[in-house]
Amino acid sequence: MKTLNPAVAPVLKRLHYLLDVILTCVRWYVSYALSLRNLEEMMAERGIGVDHSTVHRWALKLLPVLEKAFGHHKRPVGRSWRVDETCIKVKGQWKYLYRVVDKAGNTIDFLLPAHRDKTAARRYFEK
């Protein structure tokens, strides 16, 4: 049996789907460039009928709680890391991507502001 973080358990209490389905949908929504309708279709292919608006409500409800509960459990970072800056197009609009990478090139954290701001990025990553 899975034990839930005490901060997350009350939020999941009244949800009527399997916990694995809920967490999979929310994880895929934030991890990959999928629309809510893509997720609805992907779940239907797996035999799970879930509406895109339901997935959206799950994300709105769970993401702040999950961030608060697990945000401090990030991977440990060695003494050597660097910030990489590039400009990318997201949903048709140009944004700046600041990415922190370790010696092995693994992404540790990132920031995606609409406008270039090196000072804000430096403050964000040095906290």
Side-chain angles (χ1 to χ4, degrees):
M1 183 173 165
K2 293 180 183 179
T3 57
L4 294 174
N5 183 299
V8 178
V11 175
L12 298 172
K13 186 177 182 179
R14 295 181 187 225
L15 300 176
H16 300 287
Y17 280 82
L18 292 173
L19 180 60
D20 291 340
V21 172
I22 295 169
L23 294 177
T24 298
C25 285
V26 172
R27 185 173 84 73
W28 286 354
Y29 180 63
V30 298
S31 297
Y32 308 108
L34 298 171
S35 72
L36 294 166
R37 292 189 190 271
N38 289 143
L39 284 169
E40 178 181 2
E41 185 178 326
M42 291 170 68
M43 289 295 118
E45 289 174 354
R46 289 160 176 76
I48 300 167
V50 61
D51 190 65
H52 65 278
S53 60
T54 302
V55 176
H56 188 243
R57 282 194 301 274
W58 291 342
L60 291 175
K61 192 173 194 178
L62 290 174
L63 290 174
V65 176
L66 292 173
E67 172 63 27
K68 188 175 181 182
F70 300 110
H72 62 279
H73 292 293
K74 293 183 178 180
R75 286 183 281 153
V77 179
R79 298 182 80 163
S80 177
W81 56 273
R82 64 183 175 85
V83 176
D84 182 30
E85 175 192 21
T86 190
C87 197
I88 62 172
K89 206 171 207 178
V90 178
K91 294 185 179 179
Q93 299 206 354
W94 287 100
K95 302 212 181 235
Y96 284 88
L97 173 65
Y98 295 97
R99 192 172 61 111
V100 177
V101 293
D102 64 7
K103 266 186 174 178
N106 299 318
T107 300
I108 299 166
D109 203 355
F110 68 92
L111 178 64
L112 193 66
H115 304 287
R116 185 176 191 206
D117 190 350
K118 282 186 175 182
T119 308
R122 189 172 287 124
R123 275 194 314 253
Y124 178 81
F125 294 125
E126 291 178 354
K127 62 181 175 177

PDB file of all heavy atoms in Angstrom, residues 15-23 58:
ATOM      1  N   LEU A  15     -11.263  12.847  -4.767  1.00  0.00           N
ATOM      2  CA  LEU A  15     -11.126  12.551  -6.188  1.00  0.00           C
ATOM      3  C   LEU A  15     -11.566  11.115  -6.446  1.00  0.00           C
ATOM      4  O   LEU A  15     -11.251  10.218  -5.674  1.00  0.00           O
ATOM      5  CB  LEU A  15      -9.687  12.785  -6.636  1.00  0.00           C
ATOM      6  CG  LEU A  15      -9.184  14.221  -6.435  1.00  0.00           C
ATOM      7  CD1 LEU A  15      -7.721  14.328  -6.817  1.00  0.00           C
ATOM      8  CD2 LEU A  15     -10.010  15.213  -7.205  1.00  0.00           C
ATOM      9  N   HIS A  16     -12.289  10.895  -7.545  1.00  0.00           N
ATOM     10  CA  HIS A  16     -12.952   9.607  -7.768  1.00  0.00           C
ATOM     11  C   HIS A  16     -12.259   8.693  -8.769  1.00  0.00           C
ATOM     12  O   HIS A  16     -12.836   7.707  -9.175  1.00  0.00           O
ATOM     13  CB  HIS A  16     -14.398   9.854  -8.209  1.00  0.00           C
ATOM     14  CG  HIS A  16     -15.186  10.610  -7.199  1.00  0.00           C
ATOM     15  ND1 HIS A  16     -15.614  10.056  -6.017  1.00  0.00           N
ATOM     16  CD2 HIS A  16     -15.598  11.894  -7.167  1.00  0.00           C
ATOM     17  CE1 HIS A  16     -16.267  10.950  -5.314  1.00  0.00           C
ATOM     18  NE2 HIS A  16     -16.272  12.093  -5.985  1.00  0.00           N
ATOM     19  N   TYR A  17     -11.058   9.018  -9.163  1.00  0.00           N
ATOM     20  CA  TYR A  17     -10.296   8.162 -10.065  1.00  0.00           C
ATOM     21  C   TYR A  17      -9.188   7.489  -9.283  1.00  0.00           C
ATOM     22  O   TYR A  17      -8.840   7.895  -8.182  1.00  0.00           O
ATOM     23  CB  TYR A  17      -9.689   8.983 -11.204  1.00  0.00           C
ATOM     24  CG  TYR A  17     -10.661   9.300 -12.317  1.00  0.00           C
ATOM     25  CD1 TYR A  17     -11.541  10.362 -12.222  1.00  0.00           C
ATOM     26  CD2 TYR A  17     -10.687   8.527 -13.472  1.00  0.00           C
ATOM     27  CE1 TYR A  17     -12.427  10.662 -13.240  1.00  0.00           C
ATOM     28  CE2 TYR A  17     -11.567   8.815 -14.498  1.00  0.00           C
ATOM     29  CZ  TYR A  17     -12.433   9.880 -14.369  1.00  0.00           C
ATOM     30  OH  TYR A  17     -13.297  10.160 -15.389  1.00  0.00           O
ATOM     31  N   LEU A  18      -8.592   6.465  -9.896  1.00  0.00           N
ATOM     32  CA  LEU A  18      -7.432   5.821  -9.275  1.00  0.00           C
ATOM     33  C   LEU A  18      -6.299   6.837  -9.140  1.00  0.00           C
ATOM     34  O   LEU A  18      -6.073   7.653 -10.046  1.00  0.00           O
ATOM     35  CB  LEU A  18      -6.952   4.654 -10.121  1.00  0.00           C
ATOM     36  CG  LEU A  18      -7.872   3.448 -10.212  1.00  0.00           C
ATOM     37  CD1 LEU A  18      -7.335   2.446 -11.228  1.00  0.00           C
ATOM     38  CD2 LEU A  18      -7.999   2.784  -8.853  1.00  0.00           C
ATOM     39  N   LEU A  19      -5.610   6.782  -8.054  1.00  0.00           N
ATOM     40  CA  LEU A  19      -4.512   7.711  -7.790  1.00  0.00           C
ATOM     41  C   LEU A  19      -3.460   7.654  -8.892  1.00  0.00           C
ATOM     42  O   LEU A  19      -2.943   8.687  -9.317  1.00  0.00           O
ATOM     43  CB  LEU A  19      -3.876   7.395  -6.432  1.00  0.00           C
ATOM     44  CG  LEU A  19      -2.716   8.281  -6.007  1.00  0.00           C
ATOM     45  CD1 LEU A  19      -3.160   9.730  -5.916  1.00  0.00           C
ATOM     46  CD2 LEU A  19      -2.151   7.806  -4.688  1.00  0.00           C
ATOM     47  N   ASP A  20      -3.155   6.459  -9.389  1.00  0.00           N
ATOM     48  CA  ASP A  20      -2.167   6.320 -10.458  1.00  0.00           C
ATOM     49  C   ASP A  20      -2.586   7.051 -11.726  1.00  0.00           C
ATOM     50  O   ASP A  20      -1.763   7.657 -12.401  1.00  0.00           O
ATOM     51  CB  ASP A  20      -1.916   4.842 -10.778  1.00  0.00           C
ATOM     52  CG  ASP A  20      -1.195   4.120  -9.661  1.00  0.00           C
ATOM     53  OD1 ASP A  20      -0.566   4.805  -8.831  1.00  0.00           O
ATOM     54  OD2 ASP A  20      -1.258   2.886  -9.620  1.00  0.00           O
ATOM     55  N   VAL A  21      -3.874   7.018 -12.051  1.00  0.00           N
ATOM     56  CA  VAL A  21      -4.379   7.703 -13.240  1.00  0.00           C
ATOM     57  C   VAL A  21      -4.246   9.213 -13.064  1.00  0.00           C
ATOM     58  O   VAL A  21      -3.773   9.921 -13.957  1.00  0.00           O
ATOM     59  CB  VAL A  21      -5.853   7.317 -13.518  1.00  0.00           C
ATOM     60  CG1 VAL A  21      -6.442   8.178 -14.622  1.00  0.00           C
ATOM     61  CG2 VAL A  21      -5.966   5.844 -13.863  1.00  0.00           C
ATOM     62  N   ILE A  22      -4.650   9.713 -11.919  1.00  0.00           N
ATOM     63  CA  ILE A  22      -4.586  11.145 -11.640  1.00  0.00           C
ATOM     64  C   ILE A  22      -3.153  11.647 -11.716  1.00  0.00           C
ATOM     65  O   ILE A  22      -2.849  12.620 -12.409  1.00  0.00           O
ATOM     66  CB  ILE A  22      -5.188  11.455 -10.254  1.00  0.00           C
ATOM     67  CG1 ILE A  22      -6.674  11.138 -10.236  1.00  0.00           C
ATOM     68  CG2 ILE A  22      -4.936  12.906  -9.865  1.00  0.00           C
ATOM     69  CD1 ILE A  22      -7.297  11.148  -8.844  1.00  0.00           C
ATOM     70  N   LEU A  23      -2.255  10.987 -11.014  1.00  0.00           N
ATOM     71  CA  LEU A  23      -0.860  11.435 -10.974  1.00  0.00           C
ATOM     72  C   LEU A  23      -0.165  11.287 -12.327  1.00  0.00           C
ATOM     73  O   LEU A  23       0.657  12.123 -12.699  1.00  0.00           O
ATOM     74  CB  LEU A  23      -0.102  10.688  -9.877  1.00  0.00           C
ATOM     75  CG  LEU A  23      -0.572  10.993  -8.456  1.00  0.00           C
ATOM     76  CD1 LEU A  23       0.196  10.150  -7.444  1.00  0.00           C
ATOM     77  CD2 LEU A  23      -0.458  12.461  -8.129  1.00  0.00           C
ATOM     78  N   TRP A  58      -7.645  18.660 -12.018  1.00  0.00           N
ATOM     79  CA  TRP A  58      -6.639  17.942 -11.230  1.00  0.00           C
ATOM     80  C   TRP A  58      -5.338  18.740 -11.180  1.00  0.00           C
ATOM     81  O   TRP A  58      -4.734  18.883 -10.120  1.00  0.00           O
ATOM     82  CB  TRP A  58      -6.348  16.574 -11.827  1.00  0.00           C
ATOM     83  CG  TRP A  58      -7.442  15.562 -11.728  1.00  0.00           C
ATOM     84  CD1 TRP A  58      -8.524  15.586 -10.887  1.00  0.00           C
ATOM     85  CD2 TRP A  58      -7.563  14.380 -12.501  1.00  0.00           C
ATOM     86  NE1 TRP A  58      -9.301  14.486 -11.102  1.00  0.00           N
ATOM     87  CE2 TRP A  58      -8.732  13.722 -12.088  1.00  0.00           C
ATOM     88  CE3 TRP A  58      -6.806  13.807 -13.505  1.00  0.00           C
ATOM     89  CZ2 TRP A  58      -9.155  12.516 -12.632  1.00  0.00           C
ATOM     90  CZ3 TRP A  58      -7.222  12.611 -14.063  1.00  0.00           C
ATOM     91  CH2 TRP A  58      -8.384  11.976 -13.620  1.00  0.00           C
TER      92      TRP A  58
END
